[in-house]
Amino acid sequence: DIVMNQSPDSLVVSLGERATINCRTSQSVLYSPNSKNYLAWYQQKPGHPPKLLIYWASTRESGVPDRFSGSGSGTDFTLTINSLQAEDVAVYYCQQYYDTPCSFGQGTKLEIK
Amino acid sequence: EVQLVESGGGLVQPGGSLRLSCTASGFTFNTYNMNWVRQAPGKGLECVSYIGTSSSTMYYADSVKGRFTISRDNAKNSLYLQMNSLRAEDTAVYYCARDRGYCRSTTCYGYYMDVWGKGTTVTVSS
């Protein structure tokens, strides 16, 4: 099974600043035949289900603000949130869908300074 | 409106059984693979089980293999999770989630999850 590790576990960032969350997979999730990274990012606010933000490591889901972006390839990935807003306070998870069963990182809690 | 609504959660004793349901609306249910994902209190997300469009493909986490059974009824736009031999560590909020994967022939491939229900809570305790 693919093990996911996110860093940091928690993050405190000022309004308007940039937040960076990292995700490392225990094996590559890059599928060479189509050059796609099988990695997604989700946002979960307290008391709510997860919300899909990014898939294929860097494709933004429809309706997600463009201050959210994803990057990386192979085993190392990053979620970047530019111009942090108060409503971005949440726990963020990465998920691999290269292998079954799918697996999630442990989550990164983002708070406002 | 695209929607998933879970039901069937509750309090059950260790060793007991429970059947969760998820009713879909607002989209063509029989063209989507589906997942159950759970979240223990204060913890992260865990992929529990996955089923392809025609039920030809099913996957389970090792932690529930042999105890849980996923199924679907496309005529009723419904997804199910039969949970037997429940343990305290199965206590969690259980979400059903739509998958954007695809099927080729009889094999289905799970991708990311774009629509989630609000979840149903399962508590296993004596």
Side-chain angles (χ1 to χ4, degrees), chain B residues 1 6 8-12 15 29 38-39 42 50 58-59 62 64 72 75 79 94 96 102 115 120 122:
Chain B
E1 180 192 3
E6 302 94 336
L11 174 64
V12 60
F29 180 72
R38 69 183 179 184
Q39 187 169 37
Y50 161 89
M58 286 176 264
Y59 293 113
D62 287 344
V64 307
R72 64 190 295 162
L79 175 72
Y94 285 73
C96 87
Y102 74 101
V115 179
T120 187
V122 172

Side-chain angles (χ1 to χ4, degrees), chain B residues 16-70:
Chain B
S17 298
L18 216 51
R19 189 194 195 209
L20 305 184
S21 299
C22 170
T23 302
S25 60
F27 65 97
T28 307
F29 180 72
N30 64 7
T31 64
Y32 286 90
N33 306 319
M34 297 294 295
N35 297 273
W36 286 101
V37 176
R38 69 183 179 184
Q39 187 169 37
K43 301 297 184 183
L45 301 167
E46 179 186 14
C47 298
V48 173
S49 188
Y50 161 89
I51 189 168
T53 53
S54 61
S55 305
S56 59
T57 301
M58 286 176 264
Y59 293 113
Y60 298 93
D62 287 344
S63 57
V64 307
K65 205 172 292 183
R67 300 187 299 122
F68 289 12
T69 302
I70 191 170

